[in-house]
Amino acid sequence: MTDAGEHRNFYGRTHGKTLRAQQKADLETGLAARSLHGVTREENPARAPLDLSFTGGRPLWLEVGFGGGEHLVQMAARHPDIFLIGCEPFVNGIAMLLGKLRDGRLDNVAIHPGDVRDLFDVLPDGCLSKVFLNYPDPWPKARHHRRRFVTPGYLLPLARACAPGAEFRVATDIPDYVRQTLEEVPPAGFDLVSEAGQGGAWEDWLSTRYEQKALREGRVPHYLTFRRKG
Ligand SMILES: C[S@@+](CC[C@H](N)C(=O)[O-])C[C@H]1O[C@@H](n2cnc3c(N)ncnc32)[C@H](O)[C@@H]1O
């Protein structure tokens, strides 16, 4: 598993509650089978572009920060004709996703158990046709806003890896995150396609754990869709 803090500052949690025995077993056995090879600096010090032959020629989608993996599993099950990479440094979340994948039905999911920036380093130009960013960490304090995903340090590498016309979906419950997303994503090379409030989610959306928490706490979802220029 990548130590995200080794060469880049990662400010989120990488570990939570003590893992159950089954979760430990899933991490020991299931993760190796689903992990992408050639992403970490140890495996790929030259940062050579990944060989994407594992997709079998299917369009490549990415989910950044999949949390418990419920949205990712639903997308992969609903779209067997695409290949989906999920990226998440939080070990408990990875274990939850592996539990959902244990029956082996889905052959179109791979995991990068670390920081998405390490993956951006090695994704070939223009390889992604859809990207999901569901409830990214809000970093509410103004002095922490530069840690947000919707800043050039994340958005420019994302734009490079997106094919012209690729869709970029952002869901958030934080009004200031909507503001910053609308300000920062277009200059990175995307056009705004739609901006919807509660009730306006995508047709194939599956509400995530974080969204359920936000709704319980009275916050309102926003769903933003962008398209890569080109
Ligand atoms: C607020 S949680 C939302 C989780 C899930 N998408 C949901 O909606 O329930 C944000 C997630 O993004 C992950 N994350 C934060 N920074 C990341 C990074 N640089 N690369 C990949 N994932 C990241 C965190 O570990 C966390 O699980």
Side-chain angles (χ1 to χ4, degrees):
M1 204 162 299
T2 319
D3 176 355
E6 199 174 285
H7 45 81
R8 281 183 165 129
N9 288 329
F10 174 73
Y11 297 102
R13 291 193 304 169
T14 55
H15 290 78
K17 282 190 292 193
T18 307
L19 296 165
R20 295 193 304 274
Q22 178 65 63
Q23 291 180 311
K24 285 185 188 160
D26 286 338
L27 284 163
E28 272 158 31
T29 55
L31 185 55
R34 295 280 185 178
S35 277
L36 285 177
H37 300 290
V39 178
T40 65
R41 275 157 207 277
E42 298 72 30
E43 291 167 342
N44 181 359
R47 314 311 280 144
L50 279 187
D51 172 0
L52 297 182
S53 53
F54 60 84
T55 65
R58 291 177 271 192
L60 185 60
W61 295 5
L62 170 68
E63 181 165 339
V64 179
F66 57 71
E70 54 281 352
H71 174 271
L72 185 151
V73 165
Q74 134 103 358
M75 282 294 158
R78 208 170 154 164
H79 302 283
D81 49 339
I82 62 91
F83 197 97
L84 184 48
I85 297 177
C87 199
E88 175 59 68
F90 185 51
V91 174
N92 300 63
I94 299 165
M96 286 174 71
L97 173 63
L98 288 169
K100 296 181 177 84
L101 296 174
R102 200 181 304 131
D103 64 14
R105 274 184 313 115
L106 296 176
D107 74 344
N108 58 341
V109 175
I111 300 173
H112 169 53
D115 192 316
V116 71
R117 291 171 293 181
D118 295 339
L119 183 63
F120 287 154
D121 287 347
V122 296
L123 282 179
D125 290 354
C127 67
L128 299 173
S129 54
K130 197 175 284 203
V131 178
F132 306 102
L133 179 68
N134 296 330
Y135 294 94
D137 291 316
W139 297 114
K141 292 181 183 160
R143 70 174 187 277
H144 292 154
H145 286 182
R146 62 196 156 81
R147 298 179 183 179
R148 288 177 171 174
F149 185 95
V150 289
T151 49
Y154 290 87
L155 291 172
L156 295 175
L158 169 70
R160 183 197 58 75
C162 280
E167 188 176 299
F168 176 36
R169 296 182 179 182
V170 184
T172 179
D173 56 327
I174 307 294
D176 189 62
Y177 210 100
V178 175
R179 174 202 59 77
Q180 191 172 352
T181 304
L182 292 171
E183 271 175 29
E184 304 250 17
V185 174
F190 295 85
D191 291 318
L192 177 66
V193 175
S194 63
E195 181 190 346
Q198 196 164 6
W202 302 276
E203 167 270 320
D204 56 357
W205 171 246
L206 181 91
S207 184
T208 66
R209 278 160 61 88
Y210 188 90
E211 181 172 87
Q212 291 301 313
K213 182 167 177 282
L215 289 168
R216 281 196 304 276
E217 294 172 3
R219 293 190 300 279
V220 178
H222 298 267
Y223 306 103
L224 307 174
T225 309
F226 297 88
R227 198 163 295 289
R228 179 78 174 99
K229 288 182 197 289

